[in-house]
Amino acid sequence: MAKIQYLIPVMAFAAVLFLVGFLHFRIQFAVAIYRLTFHPLARYPGPWYAAISEISNIYSCLNGERHLQFKSWHDRYGSVVRYAPNRLSFCDKDAIQDIYGVRSNTQKSRVYGGFNHIFKASASLTCIDRSQHSFKRKILNVALQPIKLKNFEKHVLRNLKIFIDNVLTDASGAEWSRPRNLSEIIQFLFTDIMGDMMFSQNWNVQTSDSKRWILDILILGTSGLHAAGHMILALKLNLDMFLVPKTMAATRRFLAIARSQCEEHIRKDRTYGEHADLFSLFIQASNINDPKSDRQSYAFTMDDLVAETGILIIAGADTTATTVTATLYYLLQNPEILQQVQSEVDEAFSRIKKLGLEFETSEGLSSCQLLRACTEETMRLSPPVAGLLPREVLQGGLLIANRWSVPAGVDVGVPVYAIHHNEKYWESPHHFDPMRWIERYRKDCRHTFMPFGVGRTGCVGKQLAYNEISLVLARILWTYDLEMMPSSQSSGSGFGGNFNGSWGRGNKDEFQTRDFFTSSHHGPIVRFRKRLSSAAISPDG
Ligand code: HEM
């Protein structure tokens, strides 16, 4: 009897649970049928499971294969693909301006809200509202004016010197250094450059392993926030801590560092005049220190500053590191081109020396046309932001490429990796061919080259990125010969094709990245040897 009394509430609870589950299933079933039949996007092609639920879309944000998934779906379904119930991807050149152009009837998608939810404020990269975005963008434009960029080069050179000095330190007199994981050491270098450029702080990631956990946080946090952005309801209910606990914990840790660096900077009142770091320039540009300023509407709050600097570190360090690592990989795969680039750099350095100019400035390297072409070709083949930058269609809808009429509220975008590998727009799209950027007669459609995004929300750090990349590549190639270790070629090693055998990774010549909004990668394993020519011209004397 006592047992039955105990069983009744359990059975009642089970019945309620069953009823709720059953109702939920019926609602989901009805929603799925609606999405496949009467939904305004029902006529667009794409996998049925992507049309009925966000699950595959969210999963692809976390598995690193998102860029390849877009490519494979466009190969299969054509120029437009419905990749989630309310989202369309356009692999079409005319779609680029319609979606991202200055006059396009779009704003950043609510997906960017994932970042804002954690950062408690929006940064220019994550700001959805168009007028707020343009005010934040103005501040960045002032801080990153071309005239100020030269000042940042000393931050690059300071850390580059540590890199150059360290690579051979353990060679103990041997001709070649010990084998090094190129992805890793270049990422250490750019993280230090970013910390220095942002806060005039030496994070010592290159020389000590005590802060290297920052790097794991960056990639884990970015992918998690990107995925979380697709789960708006879960974010509103603060369920993120349960759904992606590791990511959220990592992101909060990163946020705490960004906040403490900002607070310390303000406490120490670091303003360096013409030697200002990025943070001081934000403060100057936003007049935060000047309560009497009539430009108070430009002021950044502390939360804004933390969000802006945190996002800039993510946006500026990973992307440049990926480009440099991948460019070196492609050069190692193409020894003839590597030799030509080294000769070009040697020539530039000795000319600079003869003219008595400053030894290393990105300006001095502007003659290195092939080096620049290799960088462009690398960003075409292995774009650091390889996925799709989503934009929401605003009231009034949007006509894309004069063919596709998209209603308000739908997310649209162009998948970067997929359009860079589209045979309609690029001759031999899978082949590393830097000459396509030099020979004008080529038929490639350069309008579809978009590693920095496009239009009013395109990368504000583009020129700074080119300067950093050319300085770092030129100095490494001038100082060292590099050799790829045989272990780098083995299958499953994460680069050079055959990335665990998954789709789209078969091209042995391609530097493989994992798309987590920005990119993660591994290797190649290389060793370094000091070049004789570098000894002939000393950078310091
Ligand atoms: C090779 C290097 C780089 C690549 C490939 C790259 C790529 C991109 C892309 C694709 C976007 C558009 C993102 C979107 O629409 O969601 C973007 C935006 C942005 N990038 Fe970069 N980036 C690079 C380097 C940098 C650097 C060095 C900085 C600054 C230190 C920077 C700062 C920003 C900022 C602030 C935005 C947001 C712009 C806005 O919305 O107004 N980036 N970048």
Side-chain angles (χ1 to χ4, degrees):
M1 191 66 185
K3 257 189 192 166
I4 289 177
Q5 266 177 350
Y6 175 70
L7 273 177
I8 287 172
V10 174
M11 284 168 69
F13 182 68
V16 170
L17 216 62
F18 175 77
L19 205 67
V20 170
F22 181 66
L23 271 176
H24 180 73
F25 173 77
R26 288 191 62 159
I27 291 169
Q28 285 303 317
F29 187 72
V31 168
I33 297 293
Y34 163 73
R35 284 175 172 168
L36 286 172
T37 52
F38 298 110
H39 190 283
L41 304 188
R43 69 195 165 89
Y44 285 99
W48 65 267
Y49 53 88
I52 64 170
S53 136
E54 281 282 358
I55 292 175
S56 69
N57 182 35
I58 293 170
Y59 178 66
S60 79
C61 295
L62 296 168
N63 73 358
E65 307 287 296
R66 189 169 171 80
H67 58 312
L68 298 174
Q69 181 178 289
F70 279 119
K71 166 98 177 86
S72 93
W73 284 358
H74 279 291
D75 284 358
R76 188 155 165 209
Y77 296 104
S79 301
V80 56
V81 171
R82 185 183 184 192
Y83 68 96
N86 218 27
R87 304 179 205 275
L88 295 173
S89 167
F90 293 86
C91 195
D92 183 281
K93 75 173 167 42
D94 297 324
I96 297 175
Q97 281 305 321
D98 289 338
I99 294 174
Y100 302 103
V102 177
R103 277 183 288 279
S104 64
N105 188 31
T106 59
Q107 67 180 12
K108 287 196 178 177
S109 150
R110 278 169 239 199
V111 167
Y112 292 85
F115 293 86
N116 303 338
H117 174 77
I118 297 296
F119 281 86
K120 306 287 178 231
S122 63
S124 53
L125 198 146
T126 60
C127 188
I128 295 170
D129 180 82
R130 280 175 64 153
S131 58
Q132 251 192 50
H133 172 266
S134 79
F135 131 66
K136 285 173 191 284
R137 173 86 183 202
K138 267 184 208 148
I139 294 181
L140 280 186
N141 278 338
V142 175
L144 290 166
Q145 275 167 357
I147 193 163
K148 296 193 176 133
L149 293 188
K150 199 165 171 293
N151 289 331
F152 292 128
E153 295 190 355
K154 70 172 188 308
H155 299 277
V156 179
L157 295 177
R158 202 154 50 208
N159 293 286
L160 188 52
K161 184 167 183 337
I162 297 172
F163 178 91
I164 296 291
D165 291 348
N166 270 318
V167 161
L168 283 182
T169 46
D170 54 353
S172 52
E175 192 182 6
W176 287 94
S177 74
R178 78 178 156 89
R180 309 296 287 266
N181 181 338
L182 197 62
S183 283
E184 203 175 81
I185 56 176
I186 298 288
Q187 212 192 8
F188 295 165
L189 165 65
F190 276 96
T191 309
D192 275 348
I193 290 176
M194 210 57 216
D196 196 351
M197 220 152 50
M198 184 64 74
F199 297 114
S200 298
Q201 283 272 318
N202 191 346
W203 286 355
N204 290 324
V205 173
Q206 293 195 84
T207 48
S208 141
D209 54 12
S210 66
K211 284 234 176 79
R212 287 187 187 159
W213 53 268
I214 296 179
L215 307 180
D216 302 332
I217 287 182
L218 287 184
I219 205 71
L220 194 65
T222 311
S223 69
L225 292 176
H226 185 209
H230 292 88
M231 304 182 259
I232 298 291
L233 185 62
L235 281 184
K236 280 191 179 147
L237 297 173
N238 282 322
L239 294 178
D240 42 302
M241 257 337 245
F242 302 101
L243 292 172
V244 271
K246 260 195 187 167
T247 301
M248 291 305 145
T251 317
R252 291 204 160 89
R253 216 171 151 197
F254 173 66
L255 204 65
I257 300 176
R259 184 172 290 278
S260 78
Q261 297 268 323
C262 292
E263 284 170 353
E264 189 185 331
H265 202 293
I266 288 179
R267 203 172 41 248
K268 293 194 174 158
D269 195 18
R270 291 201 192 112
T271 37
Y272 296 109
E274 64 169 31
H275 300 297
D277 51 35
L278 259 175
F279 190 83
S280 323
L281 289 177
F282 283 161
I283 293 182
Q284 280 170 22
S286 72
N287 277 350
I288 199 172
N289 279 339
D290 180 4
K292 290 191 209 95
S293 166
D294 56 357
R295 288 168 64 213
Q296 268 307 289
S297 60
Y298 272 35
F300 271 177
T301 63
M302 179 51 96
D303 281 344
D304 288 332
L305 283 169
V306 174
E308 202 65 65
T309 49
I311 296 278
L312 267 180
I313 289 167
I314 297 171
D318 259 6
T319 46
T320 34
T322 300
T323 308
V324 167
T325 311
T327 307
L328 289 172
Y329 173 81
Y330 286 118
L331 289 175
L332 281 162
Q333 292 284 78
N334 296 276
E336 272 177 31
I337 304 177
L338 171 61
Q339 222 175 18
Q340 287 168 27
V341 173
Q342 279 184 316
S343 310
E344 189 184 64
V345 169
D346 290 351
E347 233 172 75
F349 275 24
S350 52
R351 194 183 49 252
I352 293 167
K353 181 78 179 164
K354 267 188 215 142
L355 291 173
L357 301 175
E358 247 179 281
F359 195 75
E360 282 169 308
T361 59
S362 55
E363 225 177 337
L365 296 168
S366 57
S367 62
C368 295
Q369 202 187 7
L370 184 58
L371 179 71
R372 171 72 175 239
C374 289
T375 311
E376 307 279 48
E377 184 63 345
T378 297
M379 285 195 279
R380 186 185 68 78
L381 277 173
S382 305
V385 182
L388 175 147
L389 309 166
R391 299 292 182 262
E392 183 181 331
V393 176
L394 294 172
Q395 278 309 317
L398 186 66
L399 180 64
I400 297 183
N402 276 327
R403 279 172 70 189
W404 297 290
S405 172
V406 182
V410 171
D411 269 7
V412 291
V414 177
V416 179
Y417 177 91
I419 204 158
H420 284 184
H421 286 76
N422 191 325
E423 276 168 12
K424 242 188 338 187
Y425 305 129
W426 301 93
E427 255 180 73
S428 312
H430 293 276
H431 183 55
F432 179 77
D433 179 8
M435 291 313 285
R436 71 170 87 232
W437 297 98
I438 294 174
E439 292 164 347
R440 291 265 149 210
Y441 59 83
R442 290 292 186 96
K443 280 198 234 111
D444 296 326
C445 177
R446 292 192 194 172
H447 297 306
T448 62
F449 180 62
M450 47 180 294
F452 291 98
V454 176
R456 65 173 182 275
T457 52
C459 182
V460 70
K462 181 172 164 180
Q463 193 49 52
L464 175 62
Y466 274 123
N467 292 359
E468 289 181 63
I469 291 166
S470 64
L471 277 173
V472 170
L473 278 173
R475 186 65 199 271
I476 291 177
L477 292 170
W478 180 72
T479 315
Y480 290 121
D481 283 322
L482 284 80
E483 186 178 76
M484 189 139 50
M485 303 305 286
S487 60
S488 285
Q489 310 283 11
S490 63
S491 65
S493 52
F495 46 89
N498 206 351
F499 195 101
N500 300 329
S502 38
W503 188 93
R505 301 221 182 253
N507 180 3
K508 279 216 170 1
D509 299 330
E510 190 161 304
F511 181 76
Q512 302 291 324
T513 60
R514 308 195 72 183
D515 171 15
F516 294 116
F517 192 83
T518 53
S519 298
S520 115
H521 37 88
H522 171 79
I525 310 299
V526 293
R527 57 182 192 161
F528 297 78
R529 177 178 64 184
K530 194 118 187 159
R531 287 177 72 212
L532 289 177
S533 55
S534 72
I537 318 163
S538 157
D540 307 314

